[in-house]
Amino acid sequence: MGARYFGAEVRRVEDPKLITGQGHYLDDLQIPGVLHAAFVRSSHAHARIRAIDTSGASKMAGVIAVLTAADFGEQGGKMMPHMVPVAAVKQPLNYQPLADREVCHVGVPIAVVIAESRSIAEDAAAIVDVDFELLPAIIDWRKALDPDAPRAHSGAPDNLVAGLHGRFGAVEDVFAKAPHVFAETFETHRGGCHSMECRGVAAALAPFGGELNVWSSTQAPHMVRRLIAEHLGRDEQTVRVIAPDVGGGFGPKCSLYPEEIVIPLAAIKLQRSVKWVEDRTEHFLSTTQQRDQAWELEVAADNSGRLLGVRGRCVHDNGAYVPYGLVAAVTSLSAFPGPYALEAVDVKVDVVFTNLVPNTPVRGAGRPTACFVLERLADRVARELSLDPADVRRRSFVRKEQFPYSTGMKARDGSPVSYDSGDYHACLEAVLERGGSDFLERQKIALDRRRYLGRGIASYIEDTGLAPFEGATVRVQPSGKIVIQTGAASQGQGHATIFSQICADAVGVTIEDIVVEAGDTGTFPLGIGAIASRTAVTAGSSVHQASVAVRDKAIKVASEILEAAEADLVLEDGVVRVAGSDAQVTLGQLAFRLNGMSGIPMFSGIKPGLEATAFYEARKSTFASGTHLAEVEVDVETGRVEIRRYVVGHDCGRLINPMLVDGQVRGGVVHGIGNALFERMIHDENGQPVTTNYADYLLPTAPEVPRIEIIHFESASPLNPIGVKGAGEGGTIPAAACIISAIENAIAPFNVRLTEHPISPARLRQLIKAATISGETAPIAREEAIMACSIGVKRTV
């Protein structure tokens, strides 16, 4: 019997080439005769372009061309297509490939220099002279809807992108009858994705037939092909987009950017291959970001601390354009009510323009901010009612027997949101048990020594397996090797490994017999993209369905060749055998026969080729869930926060490869640590970015990352044939809420309340100092505050 791969900790099949330097990222592409591009970008947040002087740059040795929108005719100046069009958008404004009239944030591309080398192109770009007429800019998203606020786009009636509203239940009645209603405001701040590899694009015309080949470090090659073809007025079949090895994506690499239009246009105009690779400064200036939101909310609770309802409003900064629809804002709204069985929700989200880089999904999209405000509200109820925060969750969670659970909210397509499976209580209890029951004692001892320890928890849900589909072809070759082809691109998640595991089990081969080809529109015809923790569900299910079909076909054909009943055949280790006999045929031999031989008829009722293609259609989302626990120590003299312990309880359905899930969860937590403590993209009052390098914009590094303990739960999803849910963002979604909760718990003696992130040492010192000066509290004297708000004391539910 062959090995069982599904559920095993199989080493990644992608890694040997990557760790030996054999990977091929975009900048590794060796295209004969390739030219290099550098962009001239706006130096102002909002300005009108009066003139562009390219004469000096054009005369530099080694410069092939300096191109503006006018050089590309209509295709250079018209608005680019949207990656995710949404009818609710009142002003669906997007980039031009090259701006020729107005720029609306620092970093907008205005011209492109094509030269024999990147250094020459950059030197020439530096002397292109753009004559700007400065316009008023709106930077503070909180003020974007003020009647006298500057317009992010000149001539626009206002700065409103869209107004969203989610509501269910008898909201007014629930709040009127609730014995406790608490109001709170929250703010979360924008940051970037900062993948190891920046963006990049290369383009070349095929020598015969005129096919346009585009290489892009994208998460969605098929969607990029569709939009390039649409903008250029070409048939999709004449455009091929290839995503080579991609060094991280985290969401922003799923958008369509101006460079992905301009570089193909330049290649067509010059009839030469052209390549551009984003540098890190450009990444800060022009790659999309996320998280700027301001919330005003009320929470209703009963006397036991059970959460009853939430209502309020959010202002969501969408930046200067709407290239990716309303996904970030919609996922903030649809993530309500989180893991809680609320009776009523009424939340409005105003999406606004500012003169900043557009806001599109970064790991978790809008879910981390929704989780942050919900978990902080749960902590607020616990504090006001002197309850263990864990008890508030226990009394408010959706119970296991309630699944499938309809929340009352609507998904982005308007369908009802329904949680498919889970056990929120078991996950919480396991995390608390792992965290230990001695925390209050340790906290008290530390406080006696003027050390400030804190513990926080946060629970979450995540909709995964996003519609509509991914597809896969599984093909056995005459050599006996199996090729899996799919439209699901990868940015380092380990897709080839999990697809191979799924296929190996279903077909009955070893994982070494499988090759995966992905991320190339010339290899597989359709695909959506590696976004929203969807690939394991959609592409994984397609691989499973296609593999089962191949197995069934192999058995059927083998029964003809071996003259045996299908029920008497066994397929394992790539060989079909007759049970109890030496008669056998290999998969390679079956493939050879099914590929056809001149003059030999095919088997009756059997199509050529030992292969099958499947498209798993996701009709409903699968919902992952979990609880995080953090222990921190705060140095109240410096504001430094040390995360001393971090425990994750995580449920993403059946685990295909626990080792890869662990990696996804740990990476997500580190991303969340950055959100909580470090990452802040600062702009001055004129919209100039201030934090444009890693000395000023901080990311967590190894000393800031604790050992992350993971407890797995496997609530199989009934919605797909392999019972899986997504795992790519669950580490990030609750992390900021969990860490901020722990910090607040640590500094409870100072009566400091935290309703924002990130929290820097300077900000923490400011808050502690303000509380101390105000006379509201004195250190040590509020030991009882810590005791009342600490987590882990078992109480009767």
Side-chain angles (χ1 to χ4, degrees):
M1 181 66 181
R4 181 73 179 175
Y5 291 104
F6 196 114
E9 293 194 347
V10 175
R11 289 186 177 274
R12 286 167 37 114
V13 300
E14 300 92 339
D15 287 349
K17 76 167 186 176
L18 297 178
I19 64 178
T20 56
Q22 302 304 305
H24 286 87
Y25 298 89
L26 190 128
D27 202 25
D28 296 322
L29 295 176
Q30 299 297 315
I31 305 173
V34 69
L35 300 174
H36 298 267
F39 282 87
V40 179
R41 299 182 183 274
S42 170
S43 55
H44 300 286
H46 197 196
R48 186 171 290 112
I49 298 172
R50 292 192 290 210
I52 306 171
D53 183 359
T54 64
S55 57
S58 299
K59 295 174 183 176
M60 286 186 61
V63 171
I64 305 301
V66 184
L67 304 171
T68 66
D71 294 301
F72 297 125
E74 179 190 1
Q75 294 174 345
K78 71 177 181 179
M79 189 169 69
M80 290 167 43
H82 297 78
M83 179 69 81
V84 184
V86 177
V89 175
K90 297 181 182 300
Q91 301 181 70
L93 302 175
N94 201 1
Y95 292 97
Q96 300 171 260
L98 293 172
D100 62 353
R101 298 181 291 276
E102 182 179 6
V103 292
C104 295
H105 71 79
V106 173
V108 171
I110 298 171
V112 61
V113 177
I114 311 297
E116 294 174 355
S117 71
R118 174 65 182 254
S119 59
I120 293 173
E122 288 184 344
D123 287 346
I127 62 171
V128 172
D129 184 26
V130 182
D131 183 12
F132 292 107
E133 176 189 344
L134 298 187
L135 299 172
I138 176 68
I139 308 303
D140 188 345
W141 80 96
R142 308 168 197 83
K143 300 177 180 178
L145 296 180
D146 290 354
D148 59 348
R151 302 298 188 254
H153 294 265
S154 58
D158 53 39
N159 291 319
L160 183 65
V161 178
L164 306 176
H165 189 193
R167 178 188 170 100
F168 67 83
V171 178
E172 290 75 16
D173 188 54
V174 167
F175 274 82
K177 293 180 179 178
H180 304 284
V181 175
F182 306 112
E184 194 65 88
T185 60
F186 303 96
E187 284 194 9
T188 58
H189 193 71
R190 73 161 57 209
C193 74
H194 300 280
S195 51
M196 291 179 67
E197 180 202 30
C198 290
R199 296 185 294 115
V201 189
L205 288 171
F208 304 103
E211 181 184 56
L212 174 63
N213 294 318
V214 179
W215 295 263
S216 177
S217 57
T218 178
Q219 295 174 233
H222 289 80
M223 297 298 291
V224 167
R225 176 186 67 170
R226 179 186 302 177
L227 298 180
I228 290 175
E230 178 182 342
H231 190 90
L232 271 56
R234 297 173 68 104
D235 187 272
E236 280 191 42
Q237 297 304 114
T238 69
V239 179
R240 180 183 182 186
V241 174
I242 303 163
D245 291 325
V246 177
F250 307 118
K253 283 188 180 178
C254 196
S255 286
L256 178 74
Y257 289 88
E259 296 89 353
E260 288 168 309
I261 298 293
V262 173
I263 297 303
L265 284 174
I268 293 169
K269 183 175 182 65
L270 300 175
Q271 296 291 293
R272 296 280 301 274
S273 303
V274 180
K275 182 170 76 171
W276 166 80
V277 177
E278 179 185 64
D279 64 30
R280 191 57 70 174
T281 298
E282 288 178 300
H283 184 82
F284 278 101
L285 295 180
S286 57
T287 293
T288 58
Q289 302 164 359
Q290 200 206 329
R291 302 272 195 266
D292 268 345
Q293 289 184 339
W295 295 79
E296 296 177 353
L297 295 172
E298 289 183 317
V299 59
D302 67 15
N303 286 323
S304 74
R306 184 170 71 91
L307 304 179
L308 302 175
V310 175
R311 65 183 178 185
R313 174 177 177 261
C314 169
V315 178
H316 171 94
D317 175 15
N318 210 74
Y321 301 100
V322 195
Y324 203 77
L326 301 174
V327 173
V330 167
T331 50
S332 289
L333 186 61
S334 62
F336 282 82
Y340 303 113
L342 300 186
E343 296 178 11
V345 165
D346 186 359
V347 177
K348 296 179 180 179
V349 179
D350 287 328
V351 185
V352 300
F353 284 118
T354 60
N355 291 114
L356 299 176
V357 175
N359 185 325
T360 72
V362 175
R363 200 171 197 166
R367 302 172 192 89
T369 50
C371 179
F372 180 74
V373 300
L374 280 167
E375 293 306 288
R376 295 274 61 215
L377 287 174
D379 286 347
R380 172 72 185 278
V381 169
R383 183 173 71 247
E384 295 288 348
L385 302 184
S386 297
L387 296 171
D388 182 342
D391 277 345
V392 173
R393 274 103 178 154
R394 292 182 181 111
R395 294 163 184 167
S396 305
F397 277 160
V398 175
R399 301 186 306 276
K400 184 176 182 179
E401 63 269 19
Q402 291 179 283
F403 293 103
Y405 179 80
S406 295
T407 68
M409 294 296 278
K410 301 290 185 182
R412 67 180 74 176
D413 64 351
S415 63
V417 173
S418 178
Y419 300 164
D420 54 329
S421 64
D423 192 339
Y424 305 162
H425 289 87
C427 197
L428 170 66
E429 300 304 336
V431 166
L432 292 174
E433 182 178 356
R434 177 71 67 85
S437 59
D438 64 340
F439 176 73
L440 287 178
E441 180 181 354
R442 292 189 288 110
Q443 188 180 43
K444 183 178 183 302
I445 293 171
L447 190 59
D448 289 340
R449 298 172 180 173
R450 296 183 180 273
R451 292 175 54 216
Y452 297 86
L453 303 184
R455 176 183 280 189
I457 57 172
S459 300
Y460 75 100
I461 53 90
E462 179 197 359
D463 53 311
T464 73
L466 183 71
F469 64 83
E470 287 293 347
T473 293
V474 174
R475 178 181 301 112
V476 181
Q477 302 182 103
S479 65
K481 297 291 185 182
I482 293 178
V483 175
I484 300 172
Q485 295 174 321
T486 177
S490 177
Q491 301 84 51
Q493 298 95 330
H495 292 166
T497 302
I498 65 168
F499 296 159
S500 297
Q501 289 179 257
I502 294 167
C503 179
D505 280 351
V507 178
V509 297
T510 67
I511 202 169
E512 291 78 14
D513 290 328
I514 299 172
V515 175
V516 177
E517 298 176 353
D520 183 348
T521 65
T523 297
F524 195 82
L526 296 171
I528 303 301
I531 56 173
S533 299
R534 65 187 301 273
T535 302
V537 174
T538 54
S541 294
S542 295
V543 169
H544 170 78
Q545 291 173 331
S547 299
V548 169
V550 166
R551 180 187 181 91
D552 291 346
K553 189 173 185 178
I555 293 291
K556 187 175 183 65
V557 175
S559 73
E560 297 276 351
I561 294 175
L562 299 175
E563 298 181 344
E566 292 182 29
D568 294 333
L569 299 181
V570 177
L571 171 51
E572 60 182 28
D573 298 327
V575 179
V576 183
R577 297 181 176 87
V578 179
S581 165
D582 292 333
Q584 65 180 41
V585 62
T586 67
L587 287 177
Q589 290 170 328
L590 292 173
F592 183 85
R593 179 67 177 83
L594 287 175
N595 282 357
M597 292 181 285
S598 178
I600 306 298
M602 298 298 294
F603 296 100
S604 178
I606 301 295
K607 294 181 179 180
L610 186 49
E611 64 181 70
T613 298
F615 284 91
Y616 171 76
E617 294 185 43
R619 296 291 179 180
K620 295 181 179 179
S621 292
T622 59
F623 280 81
S625 59
T627 292
H628 290 200
L629 178 150
E631 285 189 19
V632 305
E633 180 170 357
V634 177
D635 184 334
V636 298
E637 298 300 323
T638 65
R640 180 178 181 271
V641 175
E642 177 188 0
I643 303 174
R644 298 169 60 90
R645 191 173 185 192
Y646 205 98
V647 181
V648 174
H650 184 261
D651 186 344
C652 63
R654 294 184 65 207
L655 299 175
I656 302 171
N657 188 321
M659 181 173 64
L660 297 194
V661 174
D662 285 352
Q664 287 290 311
V665 171
R666 289 192 171 100
V669 169
V670 174
H671 212 137
I673 291 171
N675 292 163
L677 300 178
F678 299 105
E679 298 184 58
R680 180 178 288 274
M681 189 65 203
I682 300 173
H683 297 80
D684 67 17
E685 65 277 8
N686 297 313
Q688 292 292 333
V690 175
T691 48
T692 56
N693 58 60
Y694 291 134
D696 301 319
Y697 184 99
L698 302 181
L699 295 170
T701 58
E704 290 80 49
V705 177
R707 176 174 173 264
I708 298 167
E709 307 167 52
I710 301 174
I711 307 166
H712 288 297
F713 287 79
E714 296 187 67
S715 298
S717 174
L719 300 180
N720 62 74
I722 53 178
V724 300
K725 306 176 183 181
E729 296 162 296
T732 302
I733 290 169
C738 184
I739 293 164
I740 296 301
S741 176
I743 296 171
E744 183 180 271
N745 179 241
I747 58 175
F750 297 91
N751 200 29
V752 173
R753 304 299 174 225
L754 301 181
T755 58
E756 64 191 75
H757 73 72
I759 292 289
S760 67
R763 177 61 174 156
L764 202 51
R765 280 289 304 137
Q766 181 186 44
L767 292 169
I768 292 171
K769 183 178 180 180
T772 304
I773 290 174
S774 71
E776 293 180 1
T777 185
I780 306 302
R782 288 191 57 86
E783 175 182 324
E784 67 278 7
I786 284 186
M787 302 297 286
C789 296
S790 285
I791 297 159
V793 180
K794 280 279 190 178
R795 298 200 176 128
T796 303
V797 180

